[in-house]
């Protein structure tokens, strides 16, 4: 029985192609990514690589990623982050979401509306807060979930100021090199994701980021 558990926990295997699905709290599938390559799978996170990946949306026309993307999915946190690698710099987009689950060759998560983005030359921004407020009423988010979303926001902002995890150039560079060895992306990309914390500002209630309390 123990051996079976170990084998099951290793999936999806590194190098395999999988899909990703994002749901709303009411169970509606609203977005699907078809064809993401697993480049890391540990007890802490999944790391995926996407290039020319097709994305289907319920309310929009299908589209394709024209630039490579590294997708960090921590297994024990309520967020995941896509890092779009462009010659002009790296675009970081963080989804506040449920913890990911893997089944049927697909990683699935529930999207909790609010997102955080950090684009080259721009300040850190929290977006879609109005949508979150609307869905609190429409989907009847429990108070516990609302507090978890707020805490996850604080955690991501703290990581950005401390230059940790997917905001860290060294960590991102490690995964980019894995992709380059596989000839999945070019070797001349701009990899500068270092953020100057002295210039870091956020909007609304998160102007002063601090280490989240447990």
């Amino acid at each position: 029985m123990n051996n079976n558990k170990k084998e099951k926990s290793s999936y999806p295997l590194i190098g395999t192609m999988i899909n990703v699905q994002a749901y709303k709290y009411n169970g509606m599938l609203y977005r699907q990514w078809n064809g993401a390559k697993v480049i890391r799978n540990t007890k802490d996170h999944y790391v995926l690589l996407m290039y020319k990946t097709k994305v289907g949306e319920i309310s929009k026309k299908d589209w394709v990623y024209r630039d490579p993307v590294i997708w960090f999915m921590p297994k024990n946190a309520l967020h995941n982050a896509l890092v779009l690698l462009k010659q002009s710099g790296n675009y970081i987009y963080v989804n506040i979401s449920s913890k990911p689950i893997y089944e049927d060759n697909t990683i699935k998560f529930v999207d909790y509306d609010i997102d955080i983005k950090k684009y080259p030359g721009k300040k850190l921004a929290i977006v879609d807060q109005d949508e979150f407020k609307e869905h609190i009423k429409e989907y009847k988010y429990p108070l516990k979930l609302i507090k978890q979303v707020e805490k996850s926001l604080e955690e991501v902002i703290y990581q950005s100021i401390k230059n940790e995890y997917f905001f860290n150039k060294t960590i991102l560079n490690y995964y980019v090199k894995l992709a380059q060895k596989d000839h999945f992306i070019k070797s001349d990309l701009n990899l500068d994701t270092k953020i100057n914390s002295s210039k870091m500002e956020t909007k609304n209630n998160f102007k002063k980021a601090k280490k989240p309390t447990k």
Side-chain angles (χ1 to χ4, degrees):
M1 182 177 293
N2 290 335
N3 290 336
N4 289 337
K5 286 185 177 180
K6 288 182 179 179
E7 184 178 351
K8 184 177 181 180
S9 66
S10 65
Y11 288 95
L13 297 175
I14 293 174
T16 57
M17 301 297 291
I18 65 171
N19 299 322
V20 179
Q21 293 179 338
Y23 293 80
K24 288 300 183 181
Y25 189 75
N26 64 352
M28 177 186 71
L29 172 63
Y30 84 98
R31 184 175 296 161
Q32 177 163 319
W33 295 259
N34 298 307
K37 187 170 187 177
V38 181
I39 60 174
R40 192 71 170 168
N41 179 10
T42 70
K43 64 181 180 63
D44 298 314
H45 66 179
Y46 303 107
V47 182
L48 310 178
L49 180 64
M50 297 189 293
Y51 182 54
K52 297 184 179 179
T53 298
K54 185 177 180 180
V55 184
E57 298 197 41
I58 191 171
S59 59
K60 298 180 182 178
K61 186 177 179 180
D62 292 356
W63 51 280
V64 175
Y65 277 108
R66 301 299 179 186
D67 297 285
V69 176
I70 294 181
W71 198 344
F72 294 86
M73 288 191 170
K75 295 181 179 180
N76 297 299
L78 297 186
H79 57 263
N80 60 73
L82 298 98
V83 183
L84 181 67
L85 306 173
K86 297 176 71 71
Q87 294 292 346
S88 58
N90 300 302
Y91 293 69
I92 303 175
Y93 199 93
V94 184
N95 300 300
I96 303 299
S97 68
S98 67
K99 298 176 184 179
I101 63 170
Y102 175 74
E103 60 182 10
D104 302 325
N105 200 48
T106 303
I107 291 178
K108 304 175 182 180
F109 65 88
V110 177
D111 182 273
Y112 294 143
D113 314 312
I114 297 181
D115 302 309
I116 299 174
K117 60 183 183 180
K118 179 65 179 74
Y119 293 170
K122 303 289 185 179
K123 298 174 183 177
L124 192 77
I126 302 171
V127 297
D128 296 333
Q129 295 185 87
D130 290 341
E131 182 182 353
F132 178 66
K133 291 177 181 178
E134 291 174 3
H135 286 169
I136 286 177
K137 297 179 180 179
E138 181 179 351
Y139 298 151
K140 296 181 172 57
Y141 288 163
L143 180 60
K144 181 179 179 180
L145 175 60
I146 296 171
K147 291 185 178 297
Q148 288 174 333
V149 167
E150 292 172 348
K151 182 179 178 181
S152 185
L153 275 171
E154 292 179 353
E155 290 173 351
V156 173
I157 293 169
Y158 181 77
Q159 287 175 329
S160 70
I161 291 178
K162 293 297 183 180
N163 196 32
E164 295 177 346
Y165 199 19
F166 41 78
F167 291 101
N168 184 276
K169 179 180 178 181
T170 301
I171 292 175
L172 179 58
N173 207 2
Y174 170 79
Y175 290 105
V176 168
K177 288 186 180 299
L178 286 182
Q180 289 171 339
K181 286 182 180 179
D182 201 27
H183 303 290
F184 210 75
I185 60 176
K186 297 178 181 179
S187 60
D188 58 349
L189 287 168
N190 183 341
L191 304 179
D192 187 11
T193 57
K194 188 174 182 180
I195 296 175
N196 186 344
S197 61
S198 65
K199 295 182 180 179
M200 181 66 63
E201 293 184 22
T202 60
K203 296 181 179 180
N204 300 323
N205 297 326
F206 297 89
K207 291 184 179 179
K208 291 185 179 180
K210 58 183 180 180
K211 186 174 182 178
T213 56
K214 294 184 179 180

